[in-house]
Amino acid sequence: MALTKNKKVLDFVNESAELTQPDKIVWIDGSETQIKKLKEEAVKSGELIKLNEDLLPDCYLHRTKVNDVARVEDRTFICTTKKEDAGPINYWMAPSQAYELCSEIARGSMKGRTMYVIPYSMGVVGSEFAKYGIEVTDSIYVVLNMNIMTRVGKTVLDALGKDGDFIKGLHAKCDVNAEKRYIMHFPEDNAIISVNSAYGGNVLLGKKCFALRIASYLGRNEGWLAEHMLILGVTFPDGEKKYVAAAFPSACGKTNLAMLIPPKHYREKGYKIETVGDDIAWLRVGEDGRLWAVNPENGFFGVAPGTNEHSNYNALQSTKKGTIFTNVALNTDDMTVWWEGLSKELPEHCIDWTGKPWNPAKFDKKDKSTCAAHPNSRFTAPAANCPCISEKFGSLEAVPISAIIFGGRRASTTPLVYQARDWNHGVFIGSAMSSETTAAAAGAVGVLRHDPMAMKPFTGYHMGDYFAHWVNMGKKIANPPKIFNVNWFRTDKDGNFMWPGFGDNMRVLEWILKRCDGTVDAEETAIGYVPKAEDIDISELDYEICKGKKFDLKSLKEILVVDKEKWAKEAEELEGYYNGTIKDRIPDELWQSLETLKNNCKPAEKTEKASK
Ligand code: SAT
Ligand code: MN
């Protein structure tokens, strides 16, 4: 029975049902009984595998089809009336064509199936930041994941009232045909359609589709920002708290940074990190002239491989109850889960992510085809499980942001950390981000590509307009956060990571926050402010870069170097990117920053040798 009198909701549900012709319509009310029943149904049908109730209570494993394991950027479209509004970086289709194409594909596809209606909220229901959506889907997996990742149920319909507006989302699994897979966004209509997939980012429509692509479009029109950023809080020994937002591309350590455990001597002094969010931030200017942020999500859709007690204790703890695992391995000895990097010892009896018995003797970590878990396997865990979840998470209040950090996966050139000279220079640095691709999206891994602000796959409009929006936001923020760039991924000539990363990133965070307070000096370089090596605490750091080479001050200096020759090439390459793709809509402020970078990197003029 329909749970609302909101005509727009009812019309949307009816239209979707007319198109897809489900046998049954089930409204998700958010009650525990209903969710429990759906889990039982999914276990019965094989869609979910129930894990060990003692060791992993209320946890399940799901396997997707092997052709459906990541986001598909080349099948993800922004459908604006005018092509130029989607911009040169997004794939575009005319709305009429996209509606027609998807209607053809989805027509009758729910025959014999149930259509679930999920009312959900991005943000705490009733809060100033919250925005609502209705996703209809024929996948119980989607219902159960949305129930973790967002706030779901009747309270959302109540908040919508009789005529509240919402984002429409239609997901039809169809027959998961990769050739007919489309993820369509209609920002002018507040609508999303996803067909022929059943994987995370493609189908949990509240996440990337709504909270980033549609929300970034809304944010531009309404004067706020929707960003691919984690939010963390740092508590200082004197009890003061500061918040940081940080943008990294998918699978580059956002969840790890958000849940960082500081090194022992920091903990002893009283430093603490708390997590507000690990993937998405919505940011608005407050009356006090600062930038305030919320995490619109309610859970973590984190990358499993590499997560262990040491790399991210808090994330691992978050997965110990009420979690859905996707494409990890099943340890049949005790019905728990396993993935590469979870433990040093390999389990003897596993079923791999494709459902076949796994042979640990054949495992070679360099050969992905021998892995038990898919490299992009995930956990969907309730944020409330996280031992370091912030008290601000789930509250009606936003948090004030002191620093914004951009970071990519860069083997060379980019130093460990540097600070922008001002807001516009920071926007330039974000626009210039490049990163090596990861398994989070289909396609080759490890290829360096431009990923401005880590938003390349997630900006719902023209990238040049997006940069301009950032520049304009700067004009409205009287007390803007300071902007930084970090790179945890520098490697030496043998491919070894030159910085320990993980908890030791606290050392860099400390420098960043001291810069915000103006309590530490820096070196002005061609690219911005770089730390003096002595100002980053490397005491009690026990990191062996490679056999016999321990991390020391010299190693730190190596990763703080700004090589002007390399940066001159970087600037030239960036100019090509600006000119080749976004050109006409790049704001002047960014061209100016590029000019400054080019000038700063010019080789020093040779001084004439004194004649003898
Ligand atoms: O699959 S998702 O897009 O939700 C995760 C990610 O790639 O960041
Ligand atoms: Mn992400």
Side-chain angles (χ1 to χ4, degrees):
M1 209 189 57
L3 293 180
T4 179
K5 292 205 168 79
N6 184 311
K7 185 160 177 320
K8 294 176 217 169
V9 174
L10 295 173
D11 286 350
F12 171 60
V13 171
N14 288 338
E15 281 161 24
S16 304
E18 257 164 50
L19 177 72
T20 58
Q21 296 172 28
D23 281 12
K24 216 166 76 177
I25 298 177
V26 171
W27 288 72
I28 300 301
D29 59 19
S31 68
E32 265 181 50
T33 359
Q34 187 185 40
I35 293 296
K36 189 164 172 271
K37 240 181 75 196
L38 288 173
K39 285 175 182 166
E40 283 163 10
E41 205 178 313
V43 169
K44 223 162 137 195
S45 71
E47 194 170 346
L48 292 183
I49 295 169
K50 171 98 183 87
L51 298 170
N52 186 316
E53 184 59 25
D54 294 326
L55 299 172
L56 293 170
D58 196 26
C59 290
Y60 300 85
L61 167 65
H62 171 77
R63 297 191 191 112
T64 65
K65 285 212 169 164
V66 293
N67 74 7
D68 190 30
V69 292
R71 281 182 288 103
V72 278
E73 293 182 3
D74 58 343
R75 309 197 74 91
T76 299
F77 290 79
I78 302 297
C79 308
T80 43
T81 312
K82 287 196 224 140
K83 183 173 183 191
E84 71 235 43
D85 289 346
I89 298 206
N90 283 313
Y91 290 90
W92 174 84
M93 201 181 284
S96 53
Q97 191 190 345
Y99 279 124
E100 205 180 298
L101 177 65
C102 288
S103 299
E104 267 330 295
I105 293 172
R107 180 159 292 126
S109 70
M110 294 191 194
K111 271 186 195 154
R113 301 185 186 179
T114 300
M115 182 172 93
Y116 301 94
V117 181
I118 317 171
Y120 68 95
S121 173
M122 301 313 293
V124 176
V125 180
S127 67
E128 191 196 336
F129 277 78
K131 293 205 177 272
Y132 307 121
I134 305 284
E135 176 166 357
V136 297
T137 175
D138 53 351
S139 160
I140 296 188
Y141 170 78
V142 167
V143 175
L144 297 176
N145 275 271
M146 285 292 283
N147 184 52
I148 298 173
M149 293 306 298
T150 72
R151 283 118 179 144
V152 155
K154 176 90 169 62
T155 49
V156 176
L157 293 171
D158 294 344
L160 270 177
K162 272 228 266 319
D163 62 357
D165 286 314
F166 58 95
I167 307 293
K168 297 176 201 165
L170 165 62
H171 167 239
K173 205 158 77 175
C174 306
D175 41 14
V176 200
N177 178 347
E179 302 298 313
K180 290 187 179 170
R181 183 168 300 152
Y182 293 100
I183 324 297
M184 303 288 199
H185 303 74
F186 305 89
E188 292 157 359
D189 301 344
N190 284 330
I192 305 158
I193 302 180
S194 164
V195 288
N196 273 303
S197 175
Y199 163 79
N202 298 332
V203 297
L204 309 179
L205 301 185
K207 194 170 176 60
K208 303 295 159 108
C209 300
F210 174 174
L212 287 178
R213 297 193 190 97
I214 298 283
S216 62
Y217 182 94
L218 293 174
R220 197 250 318 237
N221 294 341
E222 297 169 4
W224 53 283
L225 292 165
E227 298 299 326
H228 194 202
M229 289 178 175
L230 66 92
I231 308 165
L232 64 80
V234 181
T235 307
F236 292 83
D238 64 2
E240 197 203 344
K241 267 187 192 174
K242 280 202 159 68
Y243 296 91
V244 172
F248 296 80
S250 300
C252 287
K254 277 194 301 300
T255 308
N256 293 339
L257 184 61
M259 298 179 191
L260 169 161
I261 298 182
K264 188 158 161 270
H265 70 295
Y266 277 88
R267 296 201 302 273
E268 284 167 358
K269 276 191 243 169
Y271 281 94
K272 248 180 23 211
I273 296 286
E274 60 188 47
T275 310
V276 181
D278 81 327
D279 195 41
I280 297 175
W282 285 357
L283 306 119
R284 287 172 193 267
V285 190
E287 274 167 22
D288 61 356
R290 289 190 290 175
L291 192 61
W292 291 74
V294 296
N295 164 20
E297 299 193 279
N298 198 30
F300 308 124
F301 187 63
V303 179
T307 306
N308 61 50
E309 230 171 83
H310 308 288
S311 66
N312 195 339
Y313 170 83
N314 290 315
L316 194 64
Q317 283 311 111
S318 308
T319 67
K320 295 293 180 195
K321 59 178 187 214
T323 293
I324 299 173
F325 297 92
T326 302
N327 292 340
V328 301
L330 175 67
N331 184 337
T332 44
D333 282 336
D334 58 3
M335 288 304 277
T336 58
V337 284
W338 193 80
W339 50 76
E340 280 67 26
L342 176 61
S343 59
K344 281 211 178 92
E345 317 73 56
L346 308 181
E348 271 176 50
H349 302 110
C350 255
I351 306 280
D352 74 13
W353 70 276
T354 67
K356 294 197 195 80
W358 181 65
N359 184 350
K362 288 204 179 138
F363 174 62
D364 166 9
K365 72 174 177 223
K366 289 199 193 99
D367 178 359
K368 293 288 176 213
S369 72
T370 68
C371 286
H374 187 274
N376 190 38
S377 53
R378 299 271 172 165
F379 51 79
T380 316
N385 283 358
C386 180
C388 61
I389 196 73
S390 167
E391 61 185 26
K392 293 288 179 189
F393 171 84
S395 87
L396 292 171
E397 282 170 64
V399 297
I401 299 296
S402 298
I404 288 177
I405 302 176
F406 293 117
R409 218 176 248 276
R410 295 295 304 265
S412 75
T413 314
T414 311
L416 177 64
V417 56
Y418 66 103
Q419 183 190 352
R421 289 183 292 272
D422 53 31
W423 178 269
N424 285 341
H425 182 225
V427 176
F428 168 74
I429 288 171
S431 81
M433 256 173 81
S434 297
S435 190
E436 289 151 29
T437 50
T438 68
V445 169
V447 182
L448 189 64
R449 69 166 189 182
H450 285 276
D451 191 352
M453 275 107 165
M455 282 289 279
K456 181 197 177 293
F458 307 122
T459 308
Y461 59 103
H462 194 296
M463 192 55 88
D465 293 349
Y466 170 72
F467 295 159
H469 180 45
W470 264 82
V471 169
N472 287 335
M473 284 293 292
K475 294 179 189 147
K476 292 189 218 154
I477 316 172
N479 291 310
K482 303 262 189 290
I483 302 183
F484 299 82
N485 193 91
V486 299
N487 179 21
W488 316 135
F489 298 97
R490 276 285 280 266
T491 51
D492 65 13
K493 59 181 186 348
D494 301 317
N496 303 302
F497 285 116
M498 295 167 78
W499 172 250
F502 299 105
D504 290 309
N505 292 335
M506 180 69 215
R507 301 165 189 272
V508 176
L509 275 183
E510 186 190 23
W511 183 81
I512 286 176
L513 291 169
K514 278 189 181 162
R515 286 296 294 168
C516 295
D517 272 347
T519 54
V520 69
D521 212 1
E523 207 98 49
E524 188 160 4
T525 73
I527 61 170
Y529 301 110
V530 172
K532 297 182 169 169
E534 309 74 52
D535 289 334
I536 292 196
D537 176 3
I538 54 165
S539 63
E540 300 185 41
L541 180 62
D542 184 22
Y543 180 62
E544 203 163 290
I545 300 171
C546 55
K547 247 199 158 49
K549 186 166 187 254
K550 283 248 161 126
F551 192 92
D552 57 15
L553 196 64
K554 192 164 155 274
S555 328
L556 179 60
K557 284 184 177 160
E558 275 175 48
I559 53 174
L560 290 175
V561 158
V562 176
D563 180 332
K564 279 200 199 175
E565 249 173 65
K566 283 192 179 146
W567 277 96
K569 282 203 193 108
E570 185 91 3
E572 198 183 311
E573 202 278 331
L574 180 64
E575 188 167 17
Y577 175 68
Y578 274 10
N579 273 324
T581 46
I582 320 168
K583 199 170 179 166
D584 300 338
R585 300 208 197 182
I586 299 261
D588 290 346
E589 289 83 351
L590 301 198
W591 287 116
Q592 277 157 21
S593 287
L594 178 60
E595 261 330 285
T596 309
L597 178 62
K598 277 165 55 185
N599 285 332
N600 289 353
C601 293
K602 277 196 185 131
E605 284 184 27
K606 288 194 185 103
T607 46
E608 268 183 54
K609 279 190 188 151
S611 52
K612 293 206 174 131

